[in-house]
Amino acid sequence: MRALLSFLFIVMGVYSLQSQQQTDSITKELKRIQESSNLVGFAVAIVNKDGIVYSKGFGYSNKEQLIPYTTKTVQPIASISKTLLGVALMKAQELGILDLDDKINDHLPFTIQNPFYPNEPITIRQLASHTSSILDTEHYEKIYIFNDSIPPFYENLPQKTKQEVQKEVDLLNGNQMMSASQFIKNQYCTDGKWYTSNGFSNTVPGSSYKYSNMGANIAAYIIAQASGMEYTEFLRKHILKPLQMNDSGWVSKTHHLENVSTLYWYGHPIPTYEFITYGDGGFMTNIEDFSKYMTAVMKGYQGESNILKASSYKEMLSQPASKEFKKNVFWTIDDEKIGHSGNDPGIISHAYFLREGSHGIIVFVNTSEVENDMISVRDIYRTLLKYM
């Protein structure tokens, strides 16, 4: 027995040493990427179904004040927010307040129909698989509402990009807050002030894939209508509170979060911003909180009930109906991984787990539109993948 215990202690000691050496190697490689890149700050995590295996922050959450980016730093995660929308839809279906195969007009206080196929109903499931035929229009950019005007940082940009960026900044600075329902109606109802047939593809609803941010926003609005509560409150009740994601939520002029990162767009700090509607983006979190969520979903994928029933996870994370369709209930599902990525002004984000279900990777970056930004993020992701 003593010999066995001695052997086990030796094995455990070797394993601990190897684990620490691996952690040091990951940190060293990621630090080298950060120092050689134009990324101001980022944090990463490797997770499994039991929690965080590795996590660390690099660079700065505020470069001007030399505030480091840590695993507790909060930032928006852009379109990864859609994964929470997918979970919310499944929870709403579990509660019996909607069914994914319901027609959207059964839940909307106004009518949306494809003008090319007016007799073909659009369903919630089609919204969630990006096959609804609803397209993002030129007015989608009006969704960003900055708390302060974006300064004219474009004056310092190269001439070839200066004019284009100035045009975008002027557009964003002119955006005005409105209700989610009005924003949707303006684009997709025949009496909306921005309505044109260009808001729809000339394809039968359900027949072809086209990524649609506004399809997600309509789905979130349907949850609000069906549940009788704000979409953000529905998520807080059914996802954030059960998972104790206490440092996550949505920032606004009336609601603040701690440890929020400054965002850097084209290398320059920009004011905080919120969204008119939160289905497609706007969710704010940190590596530690989001790891709790990722772990819960990975457990669900392996057949464990938690914030959703195991059967709901199975439906949400199963292979899309067609290989041409890249999403199922707002989750990206391919031959190797399940998750989502995101990109907004000052934001690049990735969160995926392997389909074998063993490990996942999370990367949150507070910088976008700088030289080689996507290459640097790719290198971060590949480094984490190598050590998984």
Side-chain angles (χ1 to χ4, degrees):
M1 179 62 72
R2 288 180 180 176
L4 177 59
L5 288 173
S6 296
F7 173 74
L8 290 175
F9 279 124
I10 291 170
V11 170
M12 289 170 65
V14 171
Y15 176 80
S16 178
L17 178 61
Q18 289 176 336
S19 178
Q20 185 58 51
Q21 288 174 340
Q22 186 179 56
T23 295
D24 292 343
S25 296
I26 299 172
T27 299
K28 188 175 180 179
E29 288 194 38
L30 293 178
K31 187 171 178 58
R32 186 164 54 244
I33 292 171
Q34 189 273 320
E35 290 175 344
S36 63
S37 74
N38 293 298
L39 305 180
V40 176
F42 63 87
V44 304
I46 298 174
V47 299
N48 62 21
K49 66 180 183 64
D50 297 316
I52 294 174
V53 176
Y54 172 88
S55 66
K56 192 168 180 60
F58 298 84
Y60 298 102
S61 74
N62 186 302
K63 182 172 60 176
E64 291 71 32
Q65 298 179 27
L66 300 181
I67 300 173
Y69 198 117
T70 73
T71 56
K72 295 183 181 297
T73 299
V74 172
Q75 73 159 74
I77 59 173
S79 284
I80 296 179
S81 305
K82 293 183 179 73
T83 67
L84 285 92
L85 173 57
V87 172
L89 281 174
M90 298 310 302
K91 174 56 70 173
Q93 182 169 263
E94 286 182 1
L95 295 172
I97 60 176
L98 60 76
D99 187 282
L100 291 186
D101 293 313
D102 286 348
K103 302 171 185 177
I104 64 172
N105 288 329
D106 290 345
H107 295 280
L108 295 174
F110 43 77
T111 299
I112 296 178
Q113 60 186 23
N114 186 320
F116 303 107
Y117 299 92
N119 296 321
E120 291 289 338
I122 297 170
T123 68
I124 298 172
R125 192 181 299 277
Q126 290 165 0
L127 295 177
S129 60
H130 296 277
T131 62
S132 67
S133 77
I134 294 173
L135 305 177
D136 292 339
T137 74
E138 62 180 304
H139 300 286
Y140 173 73
E141 295 290 319
K142 292 181 172 67
I143 202 170
Y144 301 99
I145 307 297
F146 282 78
N147 291 347
D148 297 299
S149 293
I150 307 169
F153 65 81
Y154 45 78
E155 297 290 352
N156 301 315
L157 296 178
Q159 195 62 38
K160 62 180 181 180
T161 57
K162 176 180 175 180
Q163 187 173 359
E164 180 182 343
V165 176
Q166 180 178 358
K167 182 179 179 182
E168 187 166 7
V169 168
D170 289 345
L171 184 152
L172 294 174
N173 281 339
N175 289 347
Q176 296 182 346
M177 182 58 78
M178 67 183 71
S179 68
S181 60
Q182 192 61 53
F183 189 62
I184 293 168
K185 287 175 64 178
N186 281 345
Q187 295 175 80
Y188 302 107
C189 294
T190 53
D191 59 348
K193 66 178 180 178
W194 305 324
Y195 177 85
T196 72
S197 61
N198 293 332
F200 302 85
S201 63
N202 193 357
T203 56
V204 177
S207 67
S208 64
Y209 173 91
K210 182 64 176 178
Y211 192 84
S212 174
N213 288 294
M214 285 306 300
N217 288 327
I218 294 169
Y221 182 65
I222 286 173
I223 290 175
Q225 290 293 112
S227 66
M229 63 174 69
E230 293 292 331
Y231 171 71
T232 53
E233 289 304 314
F234 187 90
L235 263 64
R236 188 170 284 111
K237 177 179 180 180
H238 295 290
I239 300 177
L240 304 191
K241 285 187 177 179
L243 294 178
Q244 297 182 352
M245 296 173 68
N246 300 321
D247 297 319
S248 302
W250 297 262
V251 70
S252 69
K253 290 183 177 180
T254 57
H255 182 253
H256 300 279
L257 295 169
E258 300 295 326
N259 301 317
V260 175
S261 176
T262 299
L263 300 180
Y264 293 85
W265 194 34
Y266 291 95
H268 297 269
I270 57 175
T272 57
Y273 57 90
E274 53 186 303
F275 289 71
I276 288 175
T277 182
Y278 293 97
D280 71 317
F283 183 68
M284 299 185 70
T285 188
N286 59 28
I287 284 291
E288 294 185 11
D289 262 16
F290 197 80
S291 293
K292 298 174 185 177
Y293 169 74
M294 195 78 159
T295 295
V297 174
M298 290 173 67
K299 286 180 178 179
Y301 182 69
Q302 295 181 3
E304 177 182 315
S305 297
N306 43 65
I307 53 173
L308 292 178
K309 296 176 182 177
S311 57
S312 293
Y313 279 117
K314 185 176 182 180
E315 180 178 357
M316 180 177 73
L317 301 175
S318 62
Q319 192 74 34
S322 167
K323 279 204 168 183
E324 296 178 2
F325 299 168
K326 302 175 183 179
K327 302 284 191 299
N328 189 32
V329 198
F330 290 114
W331 285 79
T332 302
I333 301 173
D334 62 28
D335 293 337
E336 296 180 346
K337 63 187 183 301
I338 297 173
H340 216 292
S341 60
N343 197 325
D344 264 329
I347 304 163
I348 302 174
S349 56
H350 289 265
Y352 291 95
F353 63 90
L354 299 179
R355 285 195 64 167
E356 66 181 50
S358 60
H359 287 84
I361 289 174
I362 307 168
V363 181
F364 296 158
V365 182
N366 67 1
T367 315
S368 72
E369 303 299 340
V370 293
E371 187 175 4
N372 296 325
D373 55 356
M374 291 301 183
I375 293 175
S376 298
V377 174
R378 179 203 65 189
D379 292 343
I380 293 168
Y381 191 90
R382 288 180 176 177
T383 298
L384 296 170
L385 190 63
K386 177 174 68 174
Y387 285 100
M388 279 198 334

